Amino acid sequence: MQNHLIPSEISWLSFNNCILDEAYDSNNSLYERIKFLAIHSSNLDEFFRVKIRKLLTKNSKKNTELLNKILAEVNLQQNRFGAIWKKSILPELAANNIVYYENQELLEEHLEEIEYYFKSIILSYIQVIYISINQPKTYFLNNRSLYFLVKLKDTSGNFNYAYLNIPSDKLDRFKQLQSQEIRIILFRLIL
């Protein structure tokens, strides 16, 4: 007799896909659809922290196969998430006179405001931790924290690395810029 049970991880991803269905549904308000994308993203973070970590601690052929199925499904969902964001949410935001800076040049009129915000608000929270091959040490990353990895090139052409903590617990992820229309910039773009 074959076992036709669906692994809980795949079932959980199926549920999270239903949340994407709600984000895609234009019968829901724009605000609700953005919230559904945020819920999907938050759920996926927790999924990797809990379910994937548990799978990685048990090394077996069965777990490797399951992990491959999970990663394939997550990749599909992430592509769908991106398509909903780019093809549906961003155009609707623009139709409501809200410009979301993502992959476009910043307007000259915003550069001074962004620089001021970075220097007066963000900079006080950032800690730069340099990673050195010559001085090995244990680097401690906090769980549920965000980090930004930076590749640095010195004057002799050698590369070094550092990471920055992203103070997401102290600062909003978005900043509304002063403008005739509403312009929003993602926190990581200010860095």
Side-chain angles (χ1 to χ4, degrees):
M1 182 174 196
Q2 283 188 328
N3 185 356
H4 293 289
L5 294 176
I6 298 172
S8 64
E9 296 83 0
I10 300 296
S11 176
W12 187 95
L13 286 172
S14 178
F15 165 76
N16 214 33
N17 198 46
C18 292
I19 294 172
L20 278 182
D21 291 340
E22 293 298 321
Y24 181 73
D25 187 350
S26 60
N27 291 319
N28 292 322
S29 71
L30 177 59
Y31 178 71
E32 290 296 320
R33 292 169 58 215
I34 292 170
K35 281 179 31 179
F36 281 121
L37 287 179
I39 291 167
H40 177 273
S41 184
S42 177
N43 284 352
L44 198 56
D45 287 347
E46 184 174 342
F47 178 77
F48 272 86
R49 270 195 312 274
V50 176
K51 297 274 190 184
I52 298 300
R53 184 182 58 133
K54 199 180 287 186
L55 270 178
L56 291 174
T57 60
K58 301 173 188 170
N59 192 7
S60 71
K61 183 178 179 190
K62 183 178 174 183
N63 280 356
T64 302
E65 290 170 1
L66 179 57
L67 189 59
N68 288 334
K69 286 180 186 175
I70 289 168
L71 294 177
E73 177 60 27
V74 166
N75 192 39
L76 288 172
Q77 287 188 22
Q78 288 299 92
N79 288 334
R80 186 169 178 223
F81 182 104
I84 292 168
W85 177 253
K86 289 179 179 141
K87 295 177 182 173
S88 180
I89 302 295
L90 286 179
E92 268 193 67
L93 286 171
N96 286 286
N97 213 23
I98 299 171
V99 178
Y100 177 78
Y101 275 128
E102 197 163 39
N103 293 317
Q104 65 263 52
E105 286 289 318
L106 298 174
L107 295 178
E108 186 73 32
E109 65 191 73
H110 294 133
L111 294 178
E112 189 176 317
E113 179 183 358
I114 292 169
E115 183 178 357
Y116 175 79
Y117 183 71
F118 176 79
K119 288 180 178 177
S120 65
I121 307 292
I122 295 175
L123 197 54
S124 64
Y125 291 110
I126 291 184
Q127 298 171 334
V128 179
I129 293 92
Y130 292 97
I131 302 171
S132 173
I133 296 172
N134 299 331
Q135 299 174 345
K137 63 180 177 178
T138 303
Y139 298 98
F140 181 75
L141 301 177
N142 292 320
N143 193 18
R144 295 184 175 235
S145 294
L146 298 175
Y147 297 91
F148 190 62
L149 183 65
V150 181
K151 186 176 183 179
L152 307 165
K153 187 175 181 180
D154 65 21
T155 54
S156 59
N158 297 320
F159 289 103
N160 295 296
Y161 295 90
Y163 63 90
L164 311 166
N165 67 308
I166 305 296
S168 57
D169 58 332
K170 301 194 175 33
L171 299 170
D172 292 331
R173 289 183 70 183
F174 303 97
K175 165 82 172 112
Q176 183 175 336
L177 302 173
Q178 302 299 314
S179 187
Q180 296 230 335
E181 67 274 327
I182 300 171
R183 290 195 173 255
I184 298 174
I185 187 165
L186 186 61
F187 175 79
R188 69 178 168 83
L189 295 179
I190 296 174
L191 290 175

